[in-house]
């Protein structure tokens, strides 16, 4: 068991990373668990601490896009365009792997995902570390990602060296991952930067929906593993009728997460009736209404964690609308519910 130190200095966090330590730090998407990507020894400790399967590659974080050569062998035209448009920000581009990156970081693949976070504290950590930093989300493998430092401590205390105490992550969902190695860029994981935004920069960019399951898993190894699942069972509903049915048949303590967006017809269906009904039901121990899809995305993982802290047996979640960041939120919701394995 390690002693995990709580830090309030990004410079100290960066210094610790320089000496091969495991340090969690905030980013605008979710908290990351950082380690020197050039040290195979340090990287091995990270896989152990997270309980992460070794066939799932890590994203390498850099202080600026200009430092891409610290991690990649080659910059491709599409990655260059995406980085110019969206870096620093919630985007990961996959490129041919450079030699200095420990091969375990990339799970033996010949490619590497690189990301330049926007969060000021993260950038300061990376500036001081002055080397490529591999950083998966700072949670135990399979559990919901962490958007607060307290959640990181809850999951990883005693397993990592330090946690930098920052703000709540602004976006709340992991970065968009796009494979930029081929002629046509391929969106591997949805995030705050949407397929439409990517296509506005490189029009040929495509999603994975037309690939066979086998191709998807090969291109995006993260899809092979269960993700984002709380201990409570997650069930999704689209409208008030479905919520009522779920509530009528619920067994045990219930947590309900919903989004109320007045001008969106689909979401408007969940109205004040449901609210009053919920407060009358003794089985409902936690209920949260988010005021926008963005707020729903930001609060999503913390809501799941809160449900577990209160020992909810089931979590009923309103399915997010499939626009903007709602596309990425839906993806995480389906995975949390275990209804999407790829
Ligand atoms: O927002 C984020 O990306 C956060 C913060 C900390 O930056 N990090 C994060 O890391 O979500 P992680 O390890 O939880 O997810 C990394 C995802 C996985 O789905 C993995 O399969 C994919 O990125 N990935 C990483 N390198 C890849 C590569 N070379 N080729 C294909 N997919 C890759
Ligand atoms: Mg993760």
């Amino acid at each position: 068991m390690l002693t995990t130190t709580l830090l309030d200095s990004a410079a100290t966090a960066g210094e610790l990373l320089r000496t091969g330590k495991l340090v969690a730090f905030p980013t605008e998407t979710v908290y990351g668990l950082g380690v020197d990507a050039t040290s195979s020894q340090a990287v091995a400790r990270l896989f152990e601490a997270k309980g992460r399967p070794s066939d799932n590659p890590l994203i390498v974080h850099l202080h600026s896009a200009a430092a891409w050569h610290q991690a990649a062998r080659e910059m491709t035209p599409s990655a260059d365009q995406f980085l110019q448009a969206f870096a620093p920000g919630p985007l990961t581009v996959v490129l041919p792997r450079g030699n200095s990156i420990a091969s375990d970081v990339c799970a033996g693949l010949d490619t590497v995902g690189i990301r330049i976070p926007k969060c000021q504290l993260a950038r300061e950590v990376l500036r001081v570390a002055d080397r490529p930093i591999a950083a998966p989300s700072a949670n135990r493998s399979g559990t919901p990602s962490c958007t607060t430092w307290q959640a990181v401590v809850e999951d990883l205390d005693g397993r990592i060296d330090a946690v930098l105490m920052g703000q709540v992550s602004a976006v709340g969902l992991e970065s968009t991952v796009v494979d930029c190695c081929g002629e046509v860029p391929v969106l591997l994981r949805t995030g705050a930067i949407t397929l439409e935004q990517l296509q506005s920069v490189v029009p040929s960019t495509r999603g994975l929906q037309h690939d066979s399951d086998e191709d998807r898993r090969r291109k995006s190894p993260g899809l092979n593993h269960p993700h984002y699942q709380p201990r409570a069972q997650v069930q999704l509903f689209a409208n008030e009728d479905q919520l009522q049915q779920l509530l009528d048949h619920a067994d045990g303590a219930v947590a309900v997460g919903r989004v109320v967006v007045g001008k969106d017809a689909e979401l408007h269906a969940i109205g004040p009736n449901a609210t009053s009904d919920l407060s009358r039901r003794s089985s409902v121990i936690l209920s949260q209404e988010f005021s926008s899809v963005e707020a729903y995305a930001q609060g999503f993982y913390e809501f799941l964690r809160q449900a577990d802290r209160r020992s909810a047996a089931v979590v009923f979640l309103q399915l997010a609308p499939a626009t903007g960041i709602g596309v990425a939120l839906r993806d995480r919701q389906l995975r949390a519910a275990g209804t999407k394995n790829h």
Side-chain angles (χ1 to χ4, degrees):
M1 184 94 165
L2 289 173
T3 305
T4 301
T5 312
L6 296 180
L7 304 173
D8 53 17
S9 153
T12 309
E15 288 296 342
L16 287 173
L17 286 169
R18 288 174 70 83
T19 61
K21 301 290 193 214
L22 299 181
V23 183
F25 60 89
T27 87
E28 72 278 17
T29 55
V30 298
Y31 272 65
L33 175 56
V35 74
D36 181 351
T38 65
S39 160
S40 354
Q41 242 182 337
V43 170
R45 285 186 66 214
L46 182 142
F47 275 92
E48 162 93 34
K50 258 194 76 110
R52 184 172 176 111
S54 60
D55 63 349
N56 195 6
L58 309 175
I59 293 171
V60 173
H61 294 63
L62 300 169
H63 171 254
S64 78
W68 64 265
H69 49 85
Q70 289 183 2
R73 189 168 68 236
E74 187 192 328
M75 177 55 71
T76 64
S78 60
D80 191 34
Q81 283 174 279
F82 289 137
L83 290 173
Q84 281 190 38
F86 303 116
L91 179 73
T92 296
V93 294
V94 175
L95 287 168
R97 176 164 69 90
N99 287 335
S100 58
I101 299 299
S103 78
D104 290 351
V105 167
C106 306
L109 297 174
D110 194 31
T111 56
V112 62
I114 66 170
R115 165 159 137 72
I116 296 91
K118 191 170 194 160
C119 165
Q120 278 310 319
L121 274 184
R123 303 199 71 193
E124 179 63 6
V125 170
L126 294 168
R127 190 187 65 74
V128 173
D130 193 27
R131 64 197 56 215
I133 297 296
S137 49
N139 53 289
R140 292 290 283 273
S141 205
T143 67
S145 301
C146 297
T147 53
T148 65
W149 65 263
Q150 291 92 339
V152 178
V153 171
E154 186 177 73
D155 254 28
L156 295 171
D157 190 27
R159 304 180 71 87
I160 64 175
D161 296 298
V163 179
L164 175 59
M165 300 179 292
Q167 303 291 313
V168 176
S169 296
V171 175
L173 300 179
E174 305 79 356
S175 63
T176 303
V177 179
V178 57
D179 181 355
C180 297
C181 293
E183 278 287 293
V184 172
V186 182
L187 175 62
L188 299 179
R189 180 174 71 183
T190 52
I193 294 175
T194 62
L195 180 60
E196 291 72 30
Q197 283 175 287
L198 295 172
Q199 286 171 335
S200 73
V201 175
V202 181
S204 63
T205 308
R206 67 175 183 91
L208 270 178
Q209 62 271 26
H210 299 304
D211 293 52
S212 68
D213 278 2
E214 194 187 321
D215 276 355
R216 288 182 198 210
R217 288 164 199 265
R218 186 173 44 78
K219 288 178 183 155
S220 188
L223 302 180
N224 288 328
H225 304 285
H227 265 96
Y228 322 120
Q229 291 176 344
R231 286 190 300 278
Q233 191 208 348
V234 175
Q235 291 190 288
L236 306 175
F237 62 91
N239 54 46
E240 192 176 338
D241 281 351
Q242 289 180 7
L243 172 60
Q244 297 301 339
Q245 278 184 19
L246 288 173
L247 288 167
D248 288 343
H249 296 99
D251 198 7
V254 175
V256 181
R258 295 175 296 155
V259 58
V260 178
V261 184
K263 54 186 183 317
D264 187 317
E266 183 189 358
L267 299 170
H268 195 60
I270 311 289
N273 296 350
T275 314
S276 52
D277 191 57
L278 282 184
S279 58
R280 280 191 277 111
R281 289 186 187 247
S282 57
S283 58
V284 177
I285 53 160
L286 175 67
S287 162
Q288 195 164 344
E289 264 179 29
F290 297 92
S291 59
S292 67
V293 180
E294 288 73 22
Y296 198 13
Q298 188 194 26
F300 175 63
Y301 288 129
E302 191 54 24
F303 181 73
L304 295 183
R305 285 180 170 272
Q306 194 61 19
D308 273 350
R309 287 181 200 121
R310 305 226 189 140
S311 304
V314 285
V315 180
F316 297 151
L317 290 174
Q318 187 182 354
L319 194 60
T323 54
I325 196 165
V327 174
L329 179 53
R330 249 180 201 239
D331 169 69
R332 307 315 192 265
Q333 291 181 318
L334 290 167
R335 288 172 198 281
T339 46
K340 182 174 184 180
N341 296 315
H342 53 74

